Amino acid sequence: MIDLHCHLLPGIDDGAADLNVSLEMARIAVDDGIGMTACTPHIYPGLFENTGPQIKRDVERLRAALQAADIALEITYGADIQVVPELLDGLRSGRMPTLHGTRYFLFEPPHHSVPSGFTDLIFAVLAAGYVPVITHPERLTWLDEEHYPWFVAAVRGGAWIQLTSGAVTGRFGRRPKYWSERFLDDGLVHILATDAHETHHRRPLLAEGRHAAAQWVGADEAELLVMGRPRAIIENRDPATVPLPPALSARSRSCGGARAKGSWLSRLFSGSNGH
């Protein structure tokens, strides 16, 4: 399996506190069947001022430590990028890194406040050729019946959705579990990831999420969530060539793929109020 959202780098954000924690997290991941992890620390201006070049250097140091400890986990880089107005400029400059240097990047909405210009920003990065992977929408405290259509429109417009493995299994409580199941049942989910931060409550466990998701989408689709689509991201494949989530499969045949740009995409986004 491939985990594309994990706070594995030591001492860089609210994830692994030190190298020992990073190494123990890596051991847990390998034992769970994870073969590759993207180290994705927060980029949150004013709180976590991480940058692409710095993250890449830290990944190289951690890779050497993993090899020295004989831990067979392949790692790469990325970032959990908070929704900010300067997002597109940050992606273009490399200050805000994409996943493994591809067109895909982790797009983190604020947890507790409804973001202004949410759909406008998604449209802008899609139009620029990037694919935002919206992280853990099921855990947002402001997600409700009014705002759920924002994510439906975003997915139909070409954005991807990443659910947290532990949210699907109930580790984050009843509400995130409900919304996880809602996204899965509606066929809108592209990938699962651990969003692991440490070795106790936020562990890098992905297999249990795959198993829980399979109850809603079937074993083949669950495998796409943890292997097929994450591998497509690492390979920087055009989203039009990647198997779509169930809700989009039939639609793609009539609309020319999930990333099609043009008037229909504008109509989708104009139908949800991002302000």
Side-chain angles (χ1 to χ4, degrees):
M1 297 180 293
I2 299 173
D3 182 12
L4 291 181
H5 185 175
C6 185
H7 297 261
L8 187 64
L9 292 177
I12 196 171
D13 63 355
D14 60 348
D18 55 41
L19 179 59
N20 288 333
V21 174
S22 297
L23 295 179
E24 183 57 27
M25 289 174 67
R27 292 187 185 98
I28 293 170
V30 170
D31 288 344
D32 192 55
I34 296 170
M36 183 178 192
T37 293
C39 301
T40 55
H42 292 289
I43 290 183
Y44 192 151
L47 184 59
F48 298 114
E49 299 282 359
N50 297 309
T51 66
Q54 168 206 349
I55 292 167
K56 291 178 184 179
R57 289 193 298 270
D58 286 352
V59 166
E60 287 300 323
R61 285 193 284 265
L62 180 56
R63 183 177 290 121
L66 290 170
Q67 292 172 349
D70 196 26
I71 300 173
L73 180 68
E74 186 178 356
I75 61 173
T76 187
Y77 64 90
D80 196 11
I81 306 172
Q82 183 73 198
V83 172
V84 289
E86 62 268 28
L87 173 60
L88 186 52
D89 288 342
L91 292 171
R92 285 171 168 160
S93 69
R95 189 175 72 257
M96 297 179 178
T98 60
L99 289 164
H100 199 63
T102 68
R103 74 191 79 192
Y104 299 85
F105 71 97
L106 297 185
F107 179 95
E108 183 184 32
H111 277 267
H112 303 297
S113 59
V114 179
S116 175
F118 177 73
T119 52
D120 291 339
L121 186 54
I122 288 177
F123 180 86
V125 296
L126 283 165
Y130 296 98
V131 180
V133 180
I134 303 172
T135 61
H136 48 67
E138 78 285 357
R139 289 163 40 207
L140 303 175
T141 60
W142 52 271
L143 179 61
D144 54 22
E145 294 296 339
E146 176 186 355
H147 296 105
Y148 185 73
W150 289 15
F151 296 95
V152 176
V155 169
R156 289 178 178 167
W160 285 31
I161 292 284
Q162 173 253 302
L163 296 186
T164 313
S165 174
V168 183
T169 64
R171 289 183 181 271
F172 288 82
R174 293 174 60 185
R175 189 176 184 279
K177 188 174 190 291
Y178 164 78
W179 284 111
S180 295
E181 293 171 349
R182 175 84 170 267
F183 277 109
L184 287 165
D185 198 35
D186 288 347
L188 299 168
V189 183
H190 294 78
I191 65 172
L192 294 182
T194 68
D195 192 11
H197 280 61
E198 33 82 7
T199 60
H200 299 291
H201 304 294
R202 301 281 298 273
R203 306 172 77 199
L205 300 175
L206 197 52
E208 63 179 22
R210 176 187 60 190
H211 177 73
Q215 311 307 307
W216 295 91
V217 298
D220 290 345
E221 174 63 19
E223 190 67 17
L224 286 171
L225 295 174
V226 299
M227 190 63 193
R229 294 193 193 99
R231 174 58 64 187
I233 288 176
I234 293 299
E235 294 173 353
N236 199 25
R237 288 175 54 187
D238 187 324
T241 70
V242 181
L244 295 169
L248 302 181
S249 296
R251 189 177 189 283
S252 67
R253 288 191 287 270
S254 60
C255 293
R259 287 193 68 244
K261 298 184 178 72
S263 60
W264 72 271
L265 178 58
S266 300
R267 288 196 299 273
L268 278 173
F269 279 103
S270 65
S272 63
N273 182 7
H275 300 279

